[in-house]
Amino acid sequence: MKKLTIIGNWKMNKNSQETKEFLDVFNTEYLNNKEKISDSIVFGIAAPFTNLYLFNKNDKLKSVAQNFSNFSSGAYTGEISASMLKDLNVSMVVLGHSERRQYFYETDETVNLKTHQALKEGITPIVCVGETLEEYEAGKTKEVILKQLKGSLKDVNDFSKIIIAYEPVWAIGTGKTATAEIAQDVCEFIRKNTAANVTIQYGGSVSPANIQELMNQKDIDGALVGGASLKPESFIKLLTLNK
Ligand code: PEP
């Protein structure tokens, strides 16, 4: 089986108690389902900063950040640096999620700065791209994706060190998944415009019911999952590809 990278994105959900409860059930369910989870699946949770320390105790489940600063240290009130994340064994960071682009004014330029900071610090950036419903309906998907790729990944030379998440904005948290054909078509376009060795995730209402079909697509190497990653039983089902 090809290598798959499946990451849950918890957004601003779960306090420390709720995180501990998730991990307790997850650890038990993981042992119960271990033989159904392929060794070629890499998995983790992008949790709020304040709870990342709780993932330290679990060697299988990677701790992933949802954002970080493009600066190394200094007078940047409210920011979190790469070295602070590395203290907590964080190995990946989600960058340019559409919610950060929409509500916190992140641009391709800031995503590009953060991508280079992550690469410099040895943290794998998961760079999100995706079109809005309006752009999708106007047939502009590939034009938008190309612009985001060019801006967010400017001067990136080694694509084997990054993950690109294709997340159509109209599919995030809406229950509307892109069909496997649409997702494959856009992910193939992303690979052609980056490099053969880049890891490409699909995200947008991925669930136990549709994960297998999506992961079977040639150019889809994993998933970035919001809602369906919040319950341990459901997250396990994503990892077993619903077996
Ligand atoms: C996401 O948060 O990146 C996401 C894809 O959310 P959902 O799976 O809930 O659509």
Side-chain angles (χ1 to χ4, degrees):
M1 198 177 110
K2 68 179 171 182
K3 181 182 162 200
L4 293 175
T5 305
I6 299 177
I7 304 296
N9 174 20
W10 280 2
K11 314 188 185 199
M12 198 172 71
N13 289 299
K14 294 193 195 292
N15 59 25
S16 63
Q17 185 52 35
E18 291 162 336
T19 303
K20 284 178 196 156
E21 282 163 17
F22 174 98
L23 288 172
D24 280 349
V25 180
F26 176 83
N27 288 335
T28 310
E29 287 299 307
Y30 176 74
L31 291 177
N32 291 341
N33 288 276
K34 214 170 164 213
E35 72 290 353
K36 292 193 224 158
I37 301 174
S38 164
D39 284 342
S40 41
I41 299 189
V42 173
F43 54 93
I45 295 286
F49 289 132
T50 50
N51 293 325
L52 287 170
Y53 75 99
L54 291 166
F55 290 80
N56 253 338
K57 295 177 193 81
N58 190 307
D59 41 321
K60 282 277 171 195
L61 192 59
K62 291 191 181 300
S63 51
V64 181
Q66 299 177 15
N67 181 30
F68 81 148
S69 173
N70 52 285
F71 297 107
S72 296
S73 66
Y76 302 104
T77 302
E79 292 291 286
I80 298 288
S81 73
S83 91
M84 294 168 188
L85 294 181
K86 287 199 288 188
D87 271 352
L88 302 175
N89 288 333
V90 170
S91 55
M92 300 179 182
V93 59
V94 178
L95 298 177
H97 189 281
S98 60
E99 288 152 15
R100 295 214 56 86
R101 291 176 187 262
Q102 185 182 351
Y103 304 126
F104 304 101
Y105 314 108
E106 289 210 357
T107 62
D108 290 335
E109 288 70 30
T110 54
V111 175
N112 186 245
L113 290 172
K114 291 181 182 191
T115 300
H116 285 286
Q117 179 72 356
L119 290 171
K120 188 179 101 189
E121 296 285 346
I123 296 178
T124 304
I126 302 177
V127 179
C128 302
V129 294
E131 80 285 7
T132 62
L133 182 61
E134 207 182 6
E135 290 161 341
Y136 171 71
E137 286 176 345
K140 292 187 173 161
T141 299
K142 290 183 180 169
E143 185 188 319
V144 170
I145 299 296
L146 196 57
K147 184 170 174 287
Q148 290 177 338
L149 290 175
K150 284 202 166 137
S152 306
L153 302 179
K154 187 167 169 263
D155 296 329
V156 168
N157 300 314
D158 187 356
F159 284 89
S160 70
K161 294 205 162 58
I162 68 162
I163 297 175
I164 299 172
Y166 168 53
E167 297 210 302
V169 180
W170 49 270
I172 297 178
T174 58
K176 282 187 210 154
T177 322
T179 61
E181 291 71 27
I182 296 176
Q184 161 57 27
D185 183 46
V186 180
C187 291
E188 181 178 36
F189 176 80
I190 290 173
R191 196 179 303 284
K192 280 195 178 135
N193 283 282
T194 51
N197 61 0
V198 71
T199 298
I200 305 173
Q201 294 178 316
Y202 167 78
S205 298
V206 175
S207 69
N210 60 27
I211 191 157
Q212 191 169 26
E213 194 191 4
L214 286 161
M215 296 307 108
N216 278 343
Q217 305 304 310
K218 185 168 72 64
D219 290 292
I220 301 182
D221 309 310
L224 186 57
V225 189
S229 71
L230 287 166
K231 294 221 166 79
E233 299 82 357
S234 162
F235 189 58
I236 288 282
K237 281 221 163 285
L238 295 171
L239 303 184
T240 64
L241 305 183
N242 206 25
K243 275 182 227 128

